[in-house]
Amino acid sequence: MSGAGALPVLLFDGDCGFCTRAAEAGERFVRPRVRIAAWQLDGTYGVAEERLLREVVLVTPRGEVYGGAVAVAKTLACGGGWAWRVAGAVMQLPGVRLLADAVYRWIAAHRYRLPGGTPACRLD
């Protein structure tokens, strides 16, 4: 994935309706300088499938891997507007990051109940 002009890739669970809707909303509203793809269609980039089922993962062109709220924050920080970039930076601040992690874990655990969610979205 390295090379000039390569973009980070945000991998999400394409079998989850909630995750798919969230990814589509991110592309539409945030317009990050990140490629957003379902890992089932785009590959795992060396990340374990078990992890990809649990959380969204951002893989940088240098091979760095970030998951969960940090992946979301870094994606927002690559957003097309200044407000998204500020939100992404704030989410990475130490105290805010703890809250963002807790919120992310709650959303991931309840994604099957959220808009677009189906029983297939449920984590074991």
Side-chain angles (χ1 to χ4, degrees), residues 15-19 105-124:
D15 290 338
C16 173
F18 173 77
C19 297
R105 285 191 306 273
W106 186 90
I107 290 172
H110 297 92
R111 65 188 192 174
Y112 66 98
R113 294 180 181 171
L114 298 172
T118 66
C121 301
R122 188 176 199 136
L123 300 174
D124 293 328

PDB file of all heavy atoms in Angstrom, residues 15-19 105-124:
ATOM      1  N   ASP A  15     -20.718  -6.591   5.781  1.00  0.00           N
ATOM      2  CA  ASP A  15     -21.886  -7.434   6.027  1.00  0.00           C
ATOM      3  C   ASP A  15     -22.844  -6.790   7.019  1.00  0.00           C
ATOM      4  O   ASP A  15     -23.950  -7.273   7.226  1.00  0.00           O
ATOM      5  CB  ASP A  15     -21.456  -8.803   6.562  1.00  0.00           C
ATOM      6  CG  ASP A  15     -20.772  -9.641   5.490  1.00  0.00           C
ATOM      7  OD1 ASP A  15     -20.996  -9.381   4.288  1.00  0.00           O
ATOM      8  OD2 ASP A  15     -20.012 -10.556   5.859  1.00  0.00           O
ATOM      9  N   CYS A  16     -22.421  -5.713   7.657  1.00  0.00           N
ATOM     10  CA  CYS A  16     -23.226  -5.017   8.658  1.00  0.00           C
ATOM     11  C   CYS A  16     -23.916  -3.818   8.010  1.00  0.00           C
ATOM     12  O   CYS A  16     -23.253  -2.938   7.471  1.00  0.00           O
ATOM     13  CB  CYS A  16     -22.342  -4.562   9.826  1.00  0.00           C
ATOM     14  SG  CYS A  16     -23.198  -3.516  11.023  1.00  0.00           S
ATOM     15  N   GLY A  17     -25.226  -3.796   8.068  1.00  0.00           N
ATOM     16  CA  GLY A  17     -25.980  -2.689   7.481  1.00  0.00           C
ATOM     17  C   GLY A  17     -25.676  -1.361   8.141  1.00  0.00           C
ATOM     18  O   GLY A  17     -25.547  -0.338   7.464  1.00  0.00           O
ATOM     19  N   PHE A  18     -25.546  -1.339   9.459  1.00  0.00           N
ATOM     20  CA  PHE A  18     -25.221  -0.096  10.159  1.00  0.00           C
ATOM     21  C   PHE A  18     -23.854   0.422   9.727  1.00  0.00           C
ATOM     22  O   PHE A  18     -23.683   1.609   9.442  1.00  0.00           O
ATOM     23  CB  PHE A  18     -25.265  -0.278  11.678  1.00  0.00           C
ATOM     24  CG  PHE A  18     -24.769   0.931  12.413  1.00  0.00           C
ATOM     25  CD1 PHE A  18     -25.571   2.047  12.546  1.00  0.00           C
ATOM     26  CD2 PHE A  18     -23.486   0.959  12.939  1.00  0.00           C
ATOM     27  CE1 PHE A  18     -25.101   3.185  13.196  1.00  0.00           C
ATOM     28  CE2 PHE A  18     -23.015   2.084  13.590  1.00  0.00           C
ATOM     29  CZ  PHE A  18     -23.819   3.203  13.722  1.00  0.00           C
ATOM     30  N   CYS A  19     -22.864  -0.477   9.682  1.00  0.00           N
ATOM     31  CA  CYS A  19     -21.508  -0.080   9.290  1.00  0.00           C
ATOM     32  C   CYS A  19     -21.485   0.449   7.857  1.00  0.00           C
ATOM     33  O   CYS A  19     -20.805   1.442   7.573  1.00  0.00           O
ATOM     34  CB  CYS A  19     -20.548  -1.253   9.434  1.00  0.00           C
ATOM     35  SG  CYS A  19     -20.366  -1.836  11.135  1.00  0.00           S
ATOM     36  N   ARG A 105     -17.112   1.712  21.678  1.00  0.00           N
ATOM     37  CA  ARG A 105     -17.386   0.344  22.144  1.00  0.00           C
ATOM     38  C   ARG A 105     -18.884   0.106  22.327  1.00  0.00           C
ATOM     39  O   ARG A 105     -19.399  -0.956  21.991  1.00  0.00           O
ATOM     40  CB  ARG A 105     -16.623   0.049  23.437  1.00  0.00           C
ATOM     41  CG  ARG A 105     -15.134  -0.183  23.215  1.00  0.00           C
ATOM     42  CD  ARG A 105     -14.440  -0.738  24.459  1.00  0.00           C
ATOM     43  NE  ARG A 105     -14.657   0.060  25.658  1.00  0.00           N
ATOM     44  CZ  ARG A 105     -13.913   1.100  26.030  1.00  0.00           C
ATOM     45  NH1 ARG A 105     -12.898   1.487  25.271  1.00  0.00           N
ATOM     46  NH2 ARG A 105     -14.176   1.763  27.141  1.00  0.00           N
ATOM     47  N   TRP A 106     -19.604   1.116  22.869  1.00  0.00           N
ATOM     48  CA  TRP A 106     -21.044   0.970  23.054  1.00  0.00           C
ATOM     49  C   TRP A 106     -21.736   0.838  21.697  1.00  0.00           C
ATOM     50  O   TRP A 106     -22.587  -0.024  21.507  1.00  0.00           O
ATOM     51  CB  TRP A 106     -21.616   2.160  23.832  1.00  0.00           C
ATOM     52  CG  TRP A 106     -23.052   1.950  24.160  1.00  0.00           C
ATOM     53  CD1 TRP A 106     -23.561   1.357  25.280  1.00  0.00           C
ATOM     54  CD2 TRP A 106     -24.188   2.275  23.340  1.00  0.00           C
ATOM     55  NE1 TRP A 106     -24.932   1.307  25.215  1.00  0.00           N
ATOM     56  CE2 TRP A 106     -25.338   1.864  24.027  1.00  0.00           C
ATOM     57  CE3 TRP A 106     -24.327   2.884  22.098  1.00  0.00           C
ATOM     58  CZ2 TRP A 106     -26.621   2.040  23.523  1.00  0.00           C
ATOM     59  CZ3 TRP A 106     -25.611   3.047  21.578  1.00  0.00           C
ATOM     60  CH2 TRP A 106     -26.732   2.637  22.289  1.00  0.00           C
ATOM     61  N   ILE A 107     -21.371   1.701  20.752  1.00  0.00           N
ATOM     62  CA  ILE A 107     -21.980   1.640  19.411  1.00  0.00           C
ATOM     63  C   ILE A 107     -21.687   0.293  18.765  1.00  0.00           C
ATOM     64  O   ILE A 107     -22.580  -0.343  18.199  1.00  0.00           O
ATOM     65  CB  ILE A 107     -21.494   2.809  18.537  1.00  0.00           C
ATOM     66  CG1 ILE A 107     -22.091   4.116  19.048  1.00  0.00           C
ATOM     67  CG2 ILE A 107     -21.848   2.580  17.067  1.00  0.00           C
ATOM     68  CD1 ILE A 107     -21.532   5.354  18.385  1.00  0.00           C
ATOM     69  N   ALA A 108     -20.444  -0.172  18.830  1.00  0.00           N
ATOM     70  CA  ALA A 108     -20.079  -1.455  18.221  1.00  0.00           C
ATOM     71  C   ALA A 108     -20.874  -2.597  18.834  1.00  0.00           C
ATOM     72  O   ALA A 108     -21.333  -3.498  18.124  1.00  0.00           O
ATOM     73  CB  ALA A 108     -18.581  -1.701  18.372  1.00  0.00           C
ATOM     74  N   ALA A 109     -21.064  -2.563  20.147  1.00  0.00           N
ATOM     75  CA  ALA A 109     -21.790  -3.636  20.824  1.00  0.00           C
ATOM     76  C   ALA A 109     -23.284  -3.614  20.511  1.00  0.00           C
ATOM     77  O   ALA A 109     -23.954  -4.644  20.600  1.00  0.00           O
ATOM     78  CB  ALA A 109     -21.578  -3.540  22.336  1.00  0.00           C
ATOM     79  N   HIS A 110     -23.808  -2.449  20.135  1.00  0.00           N
ATOM     80  CA  HIS A 110     -25.253  -2.309  19.889  1.00  0.00           C
ATOM     81  C   HIS A 110     -25.589  -1.976  18.437  1.00  0.00           C
ATOM     82  O   HIS A 110     -26.710  -1.585  18.141  1.00  0.00           O
ATOM     83  CB  HIS A 110     -25.813  -1.227  20.811  1.00  0.00           C
ATOM     84  CG  HIS A 110     -25.691  -1.570  22.248  1.00  0.00           C
ATOM     85  ND1 HIS A 110     -24.603  -1.203  23.005  1.00  0.00           N
ATOM     86  CD2 HIS A 110     -26.488  -2.287  23.065  1.00  0.00           C
ATOM     87  CE1 HIS A 110     -24.751  -1.663  24.224  1.00  0.00           C
ATOM     88  NE2 HIS A 110     -25.871  -2.337  24.296  1.00  0.00           N
ATOM     89  N   ARG A 111     -24.644  -2.174  17.535  1.00  0.00           N
ATOM     90  CA  ARG A 111     -24.852  -1.769  16.146  1.00  0.00           C
ATOM     91  C   ARG A 111     -26.029  -2.479  15.492  1.00  0.00           C
ATOM     92  O   ARG A 111     -26.655  -1.931  14.592  1.00  0.00           O
ATOM     93  CB  ARG A 111     -23.579  -1.953  15.334  1.00  0.00           C
ATOM     94  CG  ARG A 111     -23.125  -3.380  15.181  1.00  0.00           C
ATOM     95  CD  ARG A 111     -21.754  -3.443  14.532  1.00  0.00           C
ATOM     96  NE  ARG A 111     -21.453  -4.814  14.132  1.00  0.00           N
ATOM     97  CZ  ARG A 111     -20.404  -5.166  13.449  1.00  0.00           C
ATOM     98  NH1 ARG A 111     -19.527  -4.247  13.065  1.00  0.00           N
ATOM     99  NH2 ARG A 111     -20.195  -6.415  13.126  1.00  0.00           N
ATOM    100  N   TYR A 112     -26.361  -3.677  15.938  1.00  0.00           N
ATOM    101  CA  TYR A 112     -27.490  -4.402  15.365  1.00  0.00           C
ATOM    102  C   TYR A 112     -28.822  -3.744  15.720  1.00  0.00           C
ATOM    103  O   TYR A 112     -29.835  -3.993  15.059  1.00  0.00           O
ATOM    104  CB  TYR A 112     -27.480  -5.870  15.804  1.00  0.00           C
ATOM    105  CG  TYR A 112     -27.716  -6.078  17.282  1.00  0.00           C
ATOM    106  CD1 TYR A 112     -28.974  -6.413  17.765  1.00  0.00           C
ATOM    107  CD2 TYR A 112     -26.673  -5.933  18.188  1.00  0.00           C
ATOM    108  CE1 TYR A 112     -29.181  -6.599  19.119  1.00  0.00           C
ATOM    109  CE2 TYR A 112     -26.873  -6.117  19.537  1.00  0.00           C
ATOM    110  CZ  TYR A 112     -28.130  -6.451  20.007  1.00  0.00           C
ATOM    111  OH  TYR A 112     -28.333  -6.637  21.344  1.00  0.00           O
ATOM    112  N   ARG A 113     -28.839  -2.874  16.728  1.00  0.00           N
ATOM    113  CA  ARG A 113     -30.053  -2.167  17.151  1.00  0.00           C
ATOM    114  C   ARG A 113     -30.155  -0.767  16.538  1.00  0.00           C
ATOM    115  O   ARG A 113     -31.188  -0.125  16.666  1.00  0.00           O
ATOM    116  CB  ARG A 113     -30.068  -2.006  18.667  1.00  0.00           C
ATOM    117  CG  ARG A 113     -30.179  -3.277  19.419  1.00  0.00           C
ATOM    118  CD  ARG A 113     -30.192  -2.985  20.893  1.00  0.00           C
ATOM    119  NE  ARG A 113     -30.281  -4.213  21.660  1.00  0.00           N
ATOM    120  CZ  ARG A 113     -30.148  -4.267  22.955  1.00  0.00           C
ATOM    121  NH1 ARG A 113     -29.910  -3.173  23.651  1.00  0.00           N
ATOM    122  NH2 ARG A 113     -30.234  -5.421  23.582  1.00  0.00           N
ATOM    123  N   LEU A 114     -29.104  -0.298  15.942  1.00  0.00           N
ATOM    124  CA  LEU A 114     -29.051   1.066  15.420  1.00  0.00           C
ATOM    125  C   LEU A 114     -29.596   1.121  13.991  1.00  0.00           C
ATOM    126  O   LEU A 114     -29.756   0.083  13.345  1.00  0.00           O
ATOM    127  CB  LEU A 114     -27.609   1.564  15.480  1.00  0.00           C
ATOM    128  CG  LEU A 114     -27.036   1.636  16.905  1.00  0.00           C
ATOM    129  CD1 LEU A 114     -25.550   1.955  16.873  1.00  0.00           C
ATOM    130  CD2 LEU A 114     -27.787   2.644  17.744  1.00  0.00           C
ATOM    131  N   PRO A 115     -29.915   2.328  13.477  1.00  0.00           N
ATOM    132  CA  PRO A 115     -30.480   2.442  12.121  1.00  0.00           C
ATOM    133  C   PRO A 115     -29.636   1.707  11.078  1.00  0.00           C
ATOM    134  O   PRO A 115     -28.427   1.894  11.004  1.00  0.00           O
ATOM    135  CB  PRO A 115     -30.482   3.951  11.881  1.00  0.00           C
ATOM    136  CG  PRO A 115     -30.558   4.550  13.244  1.00  0.00           C
ATOM    137  CD  PRO A 115     -29.759   3.619  14.125  1.00  0.00           C
ATOM    138  N   GLY A 116     -30.310   0.859  10.320  1.00  0.00           N
ATOM    139  CA  GLY A 116     -29.633   0.072   9.294  1.00  0.00           C
ATOM    140  C   GLY A 116     -29.126  -1.265   9.804  1.00  0.00           C
ATOM    141  O   GLY A 116     -28.754  -2.136   9.035  1.00  0.00           O
ATOM    142  N   GLY A 117     -29.095  -1.421  11.127  1.00  0.00           N
ATOM    143  CA  GLY A 117     -28.606  -2.662  11.717  1.00  0.00           C
ATOM    144  C   GLY A 117     -29.548  -3.822  11.486  1.00  0.00           C
ATOM    145  O   GLY A 117     -30.755  -3.650  11.352  1.00  0.00           O
ATOM    146  N   THR A 118     -28.970  -5.001  11.417  1.00  0.00           N
ATOM    147  CA  THR A 118     -29.737  -6.238  11.258  1.00  0.00           C
ATOM    148  C   THR A 118     -29.142  -7.259  12.229  1.00  0.00           C
ATOM    149  O   THR A 118     -28.072  -7.025  12.802  1.00  0.00           O
ATOM    150  CB  THR A 118     -29.617  -6.779   9.822  1.00  0.00           C
ATOM    151  OG1 THR A 118     -28.264  -7.181   9.602  1.00  0.00           O
ATOM    152  CG2 THR A 118     -30.037  -5.752   8.788  1.00  0.00           C
ATOM    153  N   PRO A 119     -29.783  -8.412  12.386  1.00  0.00           N
ATOM    154  CA  PRO A 119     -29.183  -9.438  13.242  1.00  0.00           C
ATOM    155  C   PRO A 119     -27.767  -9.831  12.797  1.00  0.00           C
ATOM    156  O   PRO A 119     -26.954 -10.237  13.612  1.00  0.00           O
ATOM    157  CB  PRO A 119     -30.151 -10.609  13.112  1.00  0.00           C
ATOM    158  CG  PRO A 119     -31.476  -9.958  12.856  1.00  0.00           C
ATOM    159  CD  PRO A 119     -31.137  -8.773  11.971  1.00  0.00           C
ATOM    160  N   ALA A 120     -27.443  -9.679  11.505  1.00  0.00           N
ATOM    161  CA  ALA A 120     -26.097 -10.004  11.022  1.00  0.00           C
ATOM    162  C   ALA A 120     -25.046  -9.063  11.598  1.00  0.00           C
ATOM    163  O   ALA A 120     -23.857  -9.383  11.600  1.00  0.00           O
ATOM    164  CB  ALA A 120     -26.061  -9.932   9.494  1.00  0.00           C
ATOM    165  N   CYS A 121     -25.470  -7.904  12.104  1.00  0.00           N
ATOM    166  CA  CYS A 121     -24.549  -6.905  12.663  1.00  0.00           C
ATOM    167  C   CYS A 121     -24.143  -7.255  14.097  1.00  0.00           C
ATOM    168  O   CYS A 121     -23.209  -6.658  14.630  1.00  0.00           O
ATOM    169  CB  CYS A 121     -25.199  -5.531  12.679  1.00  0.00           C
ATOM    170  SG  CYS A 121     -25.725  -4.927  11.065  1.00  0.00           S
ATOM    171  N   ARG A 122     -24.829  -8.184  14.714  1.00  0.00           N
ATOM    172  CA  ARG A 122     -24.600  -8.495  16.115  1.00  0.00           C
ATOM    173  C   ARG A 122     -23.232  -9.137  16.317  1.00  0.00           C
ATOM    174  O   ARG A 122     -22.825 -10.037  15.589  1.00  0.00           O
ATOM    175  CB  ARG A 122     -25.679  -9.422  16.631  1.00  0.00           C
ATOM    176  CG  ARG A 122     -25.621  -9.630  18.104  1.00  0.00           C
ATOM    177  CD  ARG A 122     -26.778 -10.490  18.601  1.00  0.00           C
ATOM    178  NE  ARG A 122     -26.885 -10.249  20.025  1.00  0.00           N
ATOM    179  CZ  ARG A 122     -28.010 -10.060  20.670  1.00  0.00           C
ATOM    180  NH1 ARG A 122     -29.146 -10.100  20.006  1.00  0.00           N
ATOM    181  NH2 ARG A 122     -28.025  -9.835  21.944  1.00  0.00           N
ATOM    182  N   LEU A 123     -22.509  -8.634  17.307  1.00  0.00           N
ATOM    183  CA  LEU A 123     -21.217  -9.211  17.681  1.00  0.00           C
ATOM    184  C   LEU A 123     -21.436 -10.264  18.746  1.00  0.00           C
ATOM    185  O   LEU A 123     -22.236 -10.077  19.649  1.00  0.00           O
ATOM    186  CB  LEU A 123     -20.274  -8.120  18.217  1.00  0.00           C
ATOM    187  CG  LEU A 123     -19.959  -6.986  17.255  1.00  0.00           C
ATOM    188  CD1 LEU A 123     -19.146  -5.922  17.972  1.00  0.00           C
ATOM    189  CD2 LEU A 123     -19.206  -7.501  16.065  1.00  0.00           C
ATOM    190  N   ASP A 124     -20.699 -11.360  18.674  1.00  0.00           N
ATOM    191  CA  ASP A 124     -20.821 -12.394  19.703  1.00  0.00           C
ATOM    192  C   ASP A 124     -20.033 -12.044  20.919  1.00  0.00           C
ATOM    193  O   ASP A 124     -19.035 -11.395  20.887  1.00  0.00           O
ATOM    194  CB  ASP A 124     -20.351 -13.746  19.152  1.00  0.00           C
ATOM    195  CG  ASP A 124     -21.290 -14.250  18.066  1.00  0.00           C
ATOM    196  OD1 ASP A 124     -22.498 -13.970  18.145  1.00  0.00           O
ATOM    197  OD2 ASP A 124     -20.787 -14.922  17.150  1.00  0.00           O
TER     198      ASP A 124
END
